[in-house]
Amino acid sequence: MTTSKKTPKKAKPKADQKSARGRGRPTDYKPEYDEQSFKLCLLGATDVQLADFFHTSEQTINAWKQAQPKFLEAIKAGKDQADAEVAKSLYHRALGYEHDEDKIFNDNGNPMIVPTIRHYPPDPTACIFWLKNRKPENWREKQEHTLSNPDGGPVKILVEFVGDKP
């Protein structure tokens, strides 16, 4: 009679136990990357540029965004704030704006500073850009027109030949 020796099965480690056992390559992510990525995104950095800055790949940046919620939030906050500033500037440019300015004159060898207000007129290009993006159905270059009969159905076309039959 042969007896087989049964070895007890090991329990599968839980997800949080796997990382504790040190399997896989450790991440290059550092918590200070949160603030750095926020500031870079304020300057208009893309994910590709973030990857270049951190000496990694865009794929790694995406993995960090999934694994590190604070990193993702920093990137989103930086990009959202930068986009809002650009939108605000475009809006002011489209409407026209003014700001305080000091003009400096020479008064017989003495500098004379005169406070003034500088006016900038509305910029038609900024207006068009704003409207095309905010109201594309009214302001796009190519407008689509559809024909329909009064009840909304398709238009019927009646063709009548006059004279000799073809």
Side-chain angles (χ1 to χ4, degrees):
M1 181 179 218
T2 311
T3 56
S4 62
K5 197 175 191 183
K6 290 188 178 182
T7 56
K9 291 185 180 181
K10 292 182 181 178
K12 290 184 181 181
K14 295 180 183 172
D16 57 336
Q17 290 176 334
K18 281 185 181 180
S19 60
R21 292 173 53 188
R23 290 192 179 173
R25 182 171 181 253
T27 182
D28 290 332
Y29 170 80
K30 297 176 184 152
E32 58 265 22
Y33 289 177
D34 298 348
E35 185 177 352
Q36 291 172 333
S37 63
F38 173 76
K39 289 178 180 179
L40 287 166
C41 288
L42 283 178
L43 297 172
T46 64
D47 287 358
V48 171
Q49 291 166 327
L50 288 175
D52 184 51
F53 179 82
F54 293 122
H55 304 289
T56 189
S57 68
E58 186 179 7
Q59 182 179 2
T60 300
I61 294 294
N62 291 330
W64 290 350
K65 287 193 286 188
Q66 287 183 351
Q68 307 293 336
K70 288 183 180 179
F71 183 71
L72 174 63
E73 285 306 312
I75 290 174
K76 283 184 177 181
K79 288 181 178 182
D80 287 348
Q81 188 173 336
D83 291 347
E85 287 294 321
V86 170
K88 178 181 168 186
S89 296
L90 176 63
Y91 178 76
H92 288 296
R93 183 83 188 240
L95 296 179
Y97 62 100
E98 56 188 39
H99 68 86
D100 294 336
E101 179 178 87
D102 291 334
K103 295 230 180 206
I104 302 172
F105 297 99
N106 183 355
D107 183 25
N108 295 324
N110 297 319
M112 181 170 59
I113 300 173
V114 179
T116 61
I117 297 175
R118 180 142 187 197
H119 298 277
Y120 294 90
D123 180 0
T125 304
C127 294
I128 292 166
F129 185 80
W130 178 270
L131 290 169
K132 281 183 178 181
N133 283 286
R134 297 281 290 191
K135 301 279 187 176
E137 65 280 356
N138 297 330
W139 290 93
R140 66 177 150 222
E141 295 284 329
K142 178 182 170 186
Q143 293 200 358
E144 295 179 18
H145 301 282
T146 57
L147 297 175
S148 61
N149 64 27
D151 67 356
V155 176
K156 294 180 183 177
I157 299 176
L158 176 62
V159 178
E160 183 177 329
F161 292 98
V162 178
D164 294 336
K165 290 186 180 180

